[in-house]
Amino acid sequence: PARYFDTKTTEPISFFLSSLEELLSWQPDSNDEFNVSAVPLAKRQPPLHSKRPRTLVCHDMRGGYLEDRFIQGSATRNPYVFYHWRYIDIFVYFSHHTVTIPPVCWTNAAHRNGVPVLGTFITEWTDGERLCEAFLAGGEEAYRAVSEQLARIAQHYHFDGWLVNLENILSAAAVGNLPPFLRHLTAQVHSAVPGGLVIWYDSILQSGTLKWQNELNEENRVFFDACDGLFTNYNWKEEHLQRTRALAGPRNTDVYVGVDVFARGDVIGGGFDTDKSLRLIRQHGLSAAIFAPGWVYEHLGEENFLHNQNKFWALLAEYLPTHSICTLPLATSFSLGMGTSRFLAGKEEEAGPWYDLSAQEIQPLYPEREGKLSTSCCLQDAWSGGSSLRVQGTIPAGEERVAIRLFSLQMPAPPKVFLTLLYKLEGSHPDEFAVSLELTTSDSGTCHEGNVTSLPEPNGRHHPRFLPAPPPSLAKLLAACDRGSHGWTSRCYELELQDCSLRDLSLLVSRQQPRPQELPFTCLLGEVRVLDAASAAAAPPQVQSLAASQLWWQ
């Protein structure tokens, strides 16, 4: 069927629903199994419901369902990718189709990095008016059928809820049923999807008039009270934020103040001035909804996209609280889910562009310090997948080393940790540098490294012991501890800890010889792993009842 398979190539594709009839007649279908996300939502700290201000990203690009609709990837050159997951809380996939089901590749990539994904339920113009009349103006049976179907769809495809965006006028009968519809939808989503969310877009007033308020006020509060959050329109000024904060009370972080990166209309700042909007939003303790950050790709062009993407998010980093990983194992080769080649064990296996966000790996923090440090993606060389992480910086004059924070962690440390690192130094004098990993622990008075008689580390910085060969139980997993290939260096380490909490994983770049002048370096990271020794040594569970379906031989 054309909904599930591309008519030209027969490849499975992601799809949307275009009408109320399609929504109400939707059923799970064996043809759409490709669209079910296979990646559970990773845990992270702090959890979504903590009281700190959140960041929502609303992805709206050229109508949606572009190359990202190909579930098994495509040979796209210079595709759009997003990878600053550590800095955001919620990802919304937006299009102007009535029921926007997020393409499964986005759900997979977001979930792997701990970010929930929302689809969009939208009605607009006179068609939208008719659609709303059809399900809202009647009795509760009609709107309950819609909310039950929306919850079933999120549950079936394993995404996390809905942005509800009704942008048309409503009759008195329809608007009267809108709050109970939102309450029912929210309850249904909460029971069908653990941690599910329903967010309302600021458009309709309680009278049924279509009039964007750019704030939470008495005219739209009834809808905010009926669901998990309000996404405001974009044309606000500081007084709107003050009134919103006062009215939201303890639910201040459930208001997502809209920021249009394209800066349409009368806005505080978009583009590379988006930080001006964010600064004000955070001053008032509110959450932010960043709309169409694909501006860096659509407006500034595809050629320099990765550079502009890093610049855009680095400018906002001050206002984006980051998230910590809270489970082991942590293993990543930093692949963005795209590339100009495919690499395996440091060797180029296949040249040519590819794009598959489902293959994106866990993404690190992307620290930037003006002129001192930059982290970016390197497509020209990788250990595995399509890219490695390029870390460029300078060891300052008079200092021996520099630590580059890759991941924030928040979990009790297991008694013994194994770490592995694959790296490559670029430049004419790679022998001037030593590269290793550093783990920091949060300062608990009882935290010890090694045996009980040793003193607690005063600053909680641990430099794991280098292992020239892997322990026999892990020989398979850690195969090449001091044997890289194709110019990559491989290293294994171990660290024994007692009563500690893990806090940061950093890359340590040190000088081999003390010298007075500053020393610039460029290091590619191909893979990093942090393993709990006990569970790494345990035999992996055997796979049960394997079945294959939807085979297409060519």
Side-chain angles (χ1 to χ4, degrees):
R3 176 190 283 176
Y4 308 112
F5 299 98
D6 186 65
T7 48
K8 291 193 190 76
T9 66
T10 74
E11 291 170 282
I13 50 173
S14 294
F15 64 89
F16 48 85
L17 305 176
S18 298
S19 64
L20 187 58
E21 297 69 43
E22 284 188 15
L23 170 60
L24 293 172
S25 63
W26 174 87
Q27 302 253 30
D29 183 300
S30 62
N31 284 312
D32 70 6
E33 288 172 359
F34 288 109
N35 279 287
V36 177
S37 169
V39 182
L41 179 59
K43 287 190 168 66
R44 62 192 330 207
Q45 285 291 345
L48 190 64
H49 49 75
S50 73
K51 277 293 161 200
R52 74 176 191 183
R54 305 179 196 114
T55 307
L56 176 153
V57 160
C58 191
H59 173 70
D60 172 29
M61 187 172 281
R62 299 174 186 159
Y65 301 95
L66 307 173
E67 290 78 12
D68 54 6
R69 75 185 186 279
F70 291 104
I71 294 169
Q72 294 171 333
S74 64
T76 306
R77 196 174 294 280
N78 299 329
Y80 176 76
V81 290
F82 179 82
Y83 46 90
H84 285 80
W85 300 110
R86 299 272 137 244
Y87 301 85
I88 76 165
D89 297 82
I90 300 164
F91 182 86
V92 178
Y93 192 87
F94 182 90
S95 84
H96 291 273
H97 302 290
T98 307
V99 178
T100 297
I101 299 168
V104 64
C105 63
W106 280 106
T107 307
N108 287 339
H111 278 187
R112 189 168 286 124
N113 287 282
V115 175
V117 176
L118 308 187
T120 307
F121 177 51
I122 189 171
T123 65
E124 308 174 273
W125 315 106
T126 47
D127 284 351
E129 232 175 293
R130 281 197 293 272
L131 192 152
C132 289
E133 284 304 301
F135 85 94
L136 282 174
E140 68 172 32
E141 205 174 310
Y143 71 71
R144 280 173 169 253
V146 168
S147 53
E148 279 157 21
Q149 281 294 78
L150 289 171
R152 281 179 70 203
I153 287 172
Q155 181 183 44
H156 177 70
Y157 296 116
H158 294 180
F159 63 96
D160 306 284
W162 296 98
L163 171 68
V164 179
N165 184 8
L166 309 187
E167 296 206 55
N168 43 258
I169 51 176
L170 294 183
S171 66
V175 81
N177 276 330
L178 186 50
F181 162 67
L182 285 173
R183 274 194 294 275
H184 189 250
L185 173 61
T186 305
Q188 290 290 311
V189 166
H190 287 182
S191 79
V193 179
L197 288 171
V198 173
I199 294 176
W200 169 255
Y201 180 69
D202 151 35
S203 50
I204 294 174
L205 310 186
Q206 58 186 3
S207 61
T209 312
L210 176 64
K211 194 174 181 192
W212 297 271
Q213 297 298 289
N214 307 298
E215 66 177 343
L216 172 68
N217 61 27
E218 293 299 348
E219 297 282 357
N220 59 19
R221 179 186 187 161
V222 59
F223 310 123
F224 175 62
D225 291 341
C227 68
D228 295 310
L230 170 75
F231 179 149
T232 77
N233 192 45
Y234 313 103
N235 304 117
W236 46 268
K237 294 285 175 276
E238 190 165 9
E239 56 267 28
H240 293 94
L241 302 182
Q242 288 162 346
R243 292 194 294 261
T244 295
R245 175 70 209 243
L247 191 59
R251 286 190 69 197
N252 54 303
T253 56
D254 292 339
V255 179
Y256 300 85
V257 180
V259 179
D260 179 5
V261 180
F262 278 84
R264 290 163 281 212
D266 182 12
V267 301
I268 301 281
F272 287 131
D273 289 328
T274 299
D275 58 316
K276 291 179 180 158
S277 296
L278 246 71
R279 183 181 308 127
L280 279 179
I281 292 167
R282 297 307 195 212
Q283 275 170 12
H284 293 279
L286 300 167
S287 291
I290 300 174
F291 184 75
W295 170 83
V296 294
Y297 181 86
E298 290 186 72
H299 180 70
L300 300 176
E302 301 169 8
E303 289 307 315
N304 220 6
F305 160 59
L306 292 170
H307 170 78
N308 287 325
Q309 172 97 318
N310 290 342
K311 176 180 172 183
F312 177 82
W313 289 98
L315 288 167
L316 301 185
E318 187 185 337
Y319 306 107
L320 303 176
T322 58
H323 294 82
S324 306
I325 287 174
C326 60
T327 53
L328 292 181
L330 163 60
T332 181
S333 68
F334 306 103
S335 181
L336 296 186
M338 61 161 280
T340 49
S341 305
R342 284 180 190 272
F343 293 85
L344 189 62
K347 176 171 174 280
E348 185 183 66
E349 290 278 299
E350 193 182 349
W354 65 277
Y355 173 53
D356 181 0
L357 281 171
S358 292
Q360 187 183 88
E361 302 224 358
I362 293 174
Q363 293 299 306
L365 297 163
Y366 280 86
E368 293 283 330
R369 287 200 290 278
E370 198 58 50
K372 296 269 180 267
L373 174 71
S374 79
T375 36
S376 59
C377 151
C378 170
L379 294 169
Q380 293 73 41
D381 198 355
W383 175 254
S384 171
S387 53
S388 56
L389 188 71
R390 179 185 276 121
V391 181
Q392 282 176 296
T394 302
I395 301 175
E399 289 188 26
E400 276 179 41
R401 56 165 79 119
V402 60
I404 301 100
R405 190 164 159 251
L406 299 175
F407 290 99
S408 166
L409 309 170
Q410 196 175 328
M411 62 186 122
K416 189 181 209 176
V417 186
F418 286 117
L419 301 98
T420 70
L421 169 66
L422 275 146
Y423 70 90
K424 185 183 273 194
L425 282 161
E426 294 191 316
S428 48
H429 301 290
D431 49 356
E432 288 188 37
F433 303 96
V435 177
S436 60
L437 291 172
E438 175 180 271
L439 262 181
T440 57
T441 49
S442 49
D443 185 33
S444 77
T446 58
C447 175
H448 289 278
E449 184 181 323
N451 59 18
V452 186
T453 55
S454 58
L455 290 169
E457 280 273 316
N459 57 4
R461 292 182 181 280
H462 306 275
H463 302 118
R465 189 170 71 87
F466 173 60
L467 288 177
S473 61
L474 291 177
K476 235 183 192 151
L477 192 62
L478 308 184
C481 274
D482 59 348
R483 254 202 350 269
S485 57
H486 301 283
W488 291 89
T489 302
S490 173
R491 292 276 182 259
C492 296
Y493 307 91
E494 72 172 1
L495 181 63
E496 293 186 35
L497 296 168
Q498 290 188 339
D499 303 322
C500 303
S501 286
L502 299 181
R503 190 174 58 191
D504 286 314
L505 175 66
S506 299
L507 181 74
L508 215 53
V509 181
S510 318
R511 305 172 184 259
Q512 294 281 29
Q513 249 76 52
R515 291 232 175 88
Q517 66 271 49
E518 58 175 40
L519 194 57
F521 64 87
T522 301
C523 180
L524 299 184
L525 290 192
E527 185 185 71
V528 168
R529 294 186 292 179
V530 183
L531 311 172
D532 173 350
S535 53
Q542 292 300 302
V543 174
Q544 305 286 329
S545 56
L546 184 68
S549 62
Q550 298 286 7
L551 301 177
W552 181 263
W553 298 102
Q554 297 192 80

